[in-house]
Amino acid sequence: MAAFRPFSSLLVGGNTRQLLAKRGAAHFNFQPSDAPKEYGDVRQKMNLCQAVNNAMDIAMDTDPSAVLFGEDVAFGGVFRCSIGLKDKYGADRVFNTPLCEQGIAGFGIGLAVAGSTAIAEIQFGDYIFPAYDQLVNEAAKYRYRSGGLFECGKLTVRATWGAVGHGALYHSQCPEANFTHTPGVKVVIPRGPTQAKGLLLSCIRDDNPTIFFEPKILYRLAAEEVPVGDFMIPLSKAETVRKGKDVTIVSWGTQVHVCLEAAQLAQEKLGVSAEVIDLQTIQPWDEDHVVESVKRTGRLIVSHEAPKTSGFGAEIAATIQDRCFLHLESPVNRSCGWDTPFPHVYEPFYLPTVWRVFDSIKKTVKY
Amino acid sequence: MLSRLSRRSPFNTSIFRSFATARERDEFRLQEYSQKYLGYRKAVFTEKLEIIDSSKAEAVPIYRVTDGLGNFIDSSQDPKFGKEMSVKIYETMTQLNIMDRILYDSQRQGRISFYMTNFGEEGNHVGSAAALKNSDLVYGQYREVGVLMWRGFPLEQFMHQCYGNSMDIGKGKQMPVHYGSKEHNFVTISSPLTTQLPQAVGSAYAFKRQPNNDRVVCVYFGDGAASEGDAHAAFNFAATLDCPIIFFCRNNGYAISTPTSEQYAGDGIAGKGPGYGLHTIRVDGNDLFAVYNATQEARRVALTNKPVLIEAMTYRLGHHSTSDDSTAYRLDFKKVQTWGDKDHPIERFKTYLVEKNWWDDEKEKAWQKEVRKRVLKAFGDAEKTKLAHFHELFEGVYDQVPELLKRQRDELDNHLKEYGEHYPLDRCLRK
Ligand SMILES: Cc1ncc(C[n+]2csc(CCOP(=O)(O)OP(=O)(O)O)c2C)c(N)n1
Ligand SMILES: [Mg+2]
C-alpha cells in the first residue's frame, strides 16, 4: 500500500526556486549596475539573495550585539537569505521565532530598546500587518514620545515584497505607502544586489527603525558583480540610473527595471530621452534630487506596482507640483497598479508594464 | 453582614475589623475571587510557596479508539459506521490522496503555479467532517481539503480553482488551493494565517442568536497558526462569549521548517485550552474513529454554547508546499518514512474495511483507476478552459464598480487597443 505514501514522487527535486517566475517570463529584464569604485575593487557575482546574506553576515561579524530572527530563519529562511548564518554565529544569534509577526516586531523593538541590534524578518510583506501596531504606534514613536529617553533605532525589519508572477493577493503586495504615512520609520527598497547590500547595511546601522523591503522576484533573477567588502549606500539619497533630458521617471525596486526598459524603448521608437531615478529610500525621500531633475526635463512620471490611489507616487506628484510648478510642461503622470487587490491570473493586466510606462512617456511628452 | 460591610467605606478598617473574623474575611475574599475573578472555579489559599513548573505537569492524554494496526482497543468506542458510510470515508480519503499526487506533479511540470498536499492528514479531515453536519459552517486554513471533498465539492471545481479559469467559482482571484463554497458551507480560504479564527467565533455568535440554533462553526488551523495573536483573541472571545464553536487544530509537527519544539513550550495546543476556559481534548489525528468520536462529542458540547478545542496529533508527510523542499530541514529522512510506514491514516482505516469484508484488492485497483481517470479528465478540462475576460480583475473590489475603477478599466481597454499584442489576451474569454 505504498500508494498512499508520497515519497516516490514527492521528495525529489523540491526547490524554492519554483516560487519564482516559472510560468512565463518575468515582466521585465534585470539591468545590472556597476558599483562605484569607492565601494571596493574586489567583487563577486551575487544574486540579491546572496547580497542580503552577505550584508547580514558583515553586520553580525562587525556587531556582536546583532541578532537575526523570524519565521523559519534558522534553517536559512524560506527564500534562503539567512543560509549558513546560524552555523556561523550560533543559535542564540540566528533563530526561529514562533509564528507571530506582532511578536517578531515587538520583540525586535525590545531588543533595540535594550541596546541590541535587531534584524527581524517578516516572511512576506503581505504578512507585516499583524505587526502594524508595533511598527506604527510603537517603533515609529518611541523616541518622540519619551523625549529621547528611549528609542529603538537598532531595529531593522526585513520583509519580502512585490510581484512574482503568480503570488496573487497575499504574496505580491507592496505595502510601502502604509509605512511612509508614519513619521518615525524609514522605508528602503533596493533595485538589485549591490543596492540590497549597501542599503541593508545602512538600515541595520542607522539610528532609526527601518523597514527594508526586498523585491523577492529579484532574489535569484538579479545577479551582478557586488563589492565583497563592508560598504554602505547612504539612506535618503536617490540615484539617477539613466540620464535623460525630456522626461524624468521616478521608481523603486523591481519597477526601476521596467522603467529602464520603457525608457530604452522610448529612445528607440520615439527618440525621447528619458531620465530614470531610483528613489531607494522611500521615506524620508530625496526630494531635492527629483526636483533638480524635473526642473531640467519639465516632465515627471512616477511608477510603482502598488495601487495608484494613496500610493507614494501621489506624494511625489504633490510635492513636485508644489516645488516645480512653473517648470512643468505636462501634468505629473502616475503609472501604477490599479486600485484593486492583487489578482492571481490577471497579474499581467494589473501591473504597470513596460508598455504602460512607455505609453505614459509618449503621452507625457506629447501632452 | 457582607452587605452592611460593603456599604461602608473600604478605608474604614477599624469598623471592618470589628465585624469580621479572619475566617470570615477569607471566605469573603475566596467567594469574590471565585465568582468574579476565576469563573466560579474553587479558589483556595495556600501557605506553600510554589511556582508551578509547567514542565512537571502531565501532558493531556491522546484519545484513541484503534491501535496502530487499526484494531479496536475498547469496542464500546466503535462508532459503528455502516458499510456505505465506511466506504464513503475510505473513498474520500483515497480520492484526496490521488488528486494530491496528480496536482503536485502537475505543478512540478509547470502546469499550475502552486500546490499544497494533504499527505498524512487525510484521516483528521474526513473523520471530523463526517462527524459534523454539512450545515455547520467551516473555516479552513488550507490543508483541510478532505473536509470540502467529504461535503461533495466536485473534482472539477478543485481543478478550475487551481487554474483560476472562467469556471472557477472564486473567479481566478486567488492562488491554487484557496477553495471556498457557499453551497458547502465552507468559507473561502485566505492566505494570512489565523485570521479565520476570530472570524469563526463571530459567526458562531451569530448562529447562537438565531432561534433554535442547530449549527456550530468548526474552524481548522495548524500548530504554527496557533501562535498568532488572533488565536489568543479567538480562544478568549469564544470562551467569554459562550460560542458554539469547535477549534480544530491539526498538529502536524511543523510550520514550514519550524518544528513544534520551537513553536511552543507548553503542552501543545490542547494544553492552552483549559487556561482559556475551553473544553479540550487531544486526539490521535491519524485514527479516523477517534477523530470522529471526538468531533461528534465536541459538536454536542458546542451546541450547548460551550466552545471546544480539539488538538489532532498527526504528521505532515509531504513538503509544506511546492515552494518548499523539506529535505533542507527534515534531515532525518528516515523519520518521515517511518511515519508513513507506521502510522498512515488511510492504511489504518483500510484495515477496518478489509476486516469487515467491505473492501479488497480488486476494489482497490478499480477504484484507484477510476479516480485517476476522473481527476485527469477534470484536470485536462480545467487546463483547456479559458480565463474569464480580464475585466474580472476590477470586479468584486466593492459591491459595485465605482467610477474611479471604471475610469481605470477604460484606461486599460484603451491601452490594450494599442498594445494588446503584448498581453495574454488569447488566454481570456472575449467579452
Ligand atoms: C500571517 C502569516 N504569516 C506567515 C505566513 C506564511 N506561512 C504560510 S503557511 C505557514 C506555516 C503554517 O504552519 P501550520 O499552521 O503548522 O500549518 P501546516 O502548514 O503545518 O498545515 C507560514 C509561516 C502566512 N501565510 N500568514
Ligand atoms: Mg503544522
Side-chain angles (χ1 to χ4, degrees), chain B residues 208-220:
Chain B
K208 181 172 86 161
R209 294 196 59 244
Q210 284 163 12
N212 307 317
N213 175 46
D214 61 352
R215 299 173 76 188
V216 302
V217 176
C218 184
V219 57
Y220 293 85

Side-chain angles (χ1 to χ4, degrees), chain A residues 101 123 127, chain B residues 141-143 191 193 222-225 250 252 254-255:
Chain A
E101 293 76 13
Q123 209 164 76
Y127 304 137
Chain B
Q141 176 162 312
Y142 47 69
R143 213 185 298 282
S191 316
L193 288 167
D223 46 278
R250 300 175 292 97
N252 61 9
Y254 286 92

Side-chain angles (χ1 to χ4, degrees), chain A residues 180-249:
Chain A
T180 56
H181 204 212
T182 300
V185 282
K186 294 188 176 180
V187 180
V188 179
I189 307 172
R191 74 170 185 280
T194 303
Q195 295 73 29
K197 178 172 172 183
L199 290 169
L200 179 54
L201 275 166
S202 288
C203 286
I204 293 171
R205 292 163 177 171
D206 191 80
D207 281 335
N208 298 281
T210 52
I211 300 176
F212 187 75
F213 286 119
E214 299 168 6
K216 55 193 176 293
I217 195 168
L218 300 179
Y219 275 144
R220 288 186 173 66
L221 198 146
E224 64 193 14
E225 295 291 326
V226 178
V228 295
D230 187 344
F231 71 95
M232 286 154 67
I233 299 179
L235 302 185
S236 291
K237 287 277 171 249
E239 184 189 343
T240 300
V241 290
R242 182 188 169 104
K243 279 280 188 199
K245 54 185 178 33
D246 299 327
V247 53
T248 301
I249 309 177

Side-chain angles (χ1 to χ4, degrees), chain B residues 60-61 63 197 217-223 225-226 231-232 234-236 238-239 243-251 267-283 291 294-295 297-299 301-302 306-313:
Chain B
V60 173
Y63 168 72
L197 264 74
V217 176
C218 184
V219 57
Y220 293 85
F221 59 104
D223 46 278
H232 162 71
F235 296 154
N236 201 24
C243 295
I245 187 167
I246 300 171
F247 293 105
F248 195 104
C249 180
R250 300 175 292 97
N251 190 339
D267 180 18
I269 310 303
K272 303 178 202 259
Y276 283 102
L278 296 172
H279 283 58
T280 301
I281 184 169
R282 173 174 283 149
V283 56
V291 174
T295 310
E297 176 61 9
R299 187 178 189 280
V301 173
K306 295 193 174 78
V308 184
L309 170 64
I310 300 177
E311 178 181 24
M313 309 301 278

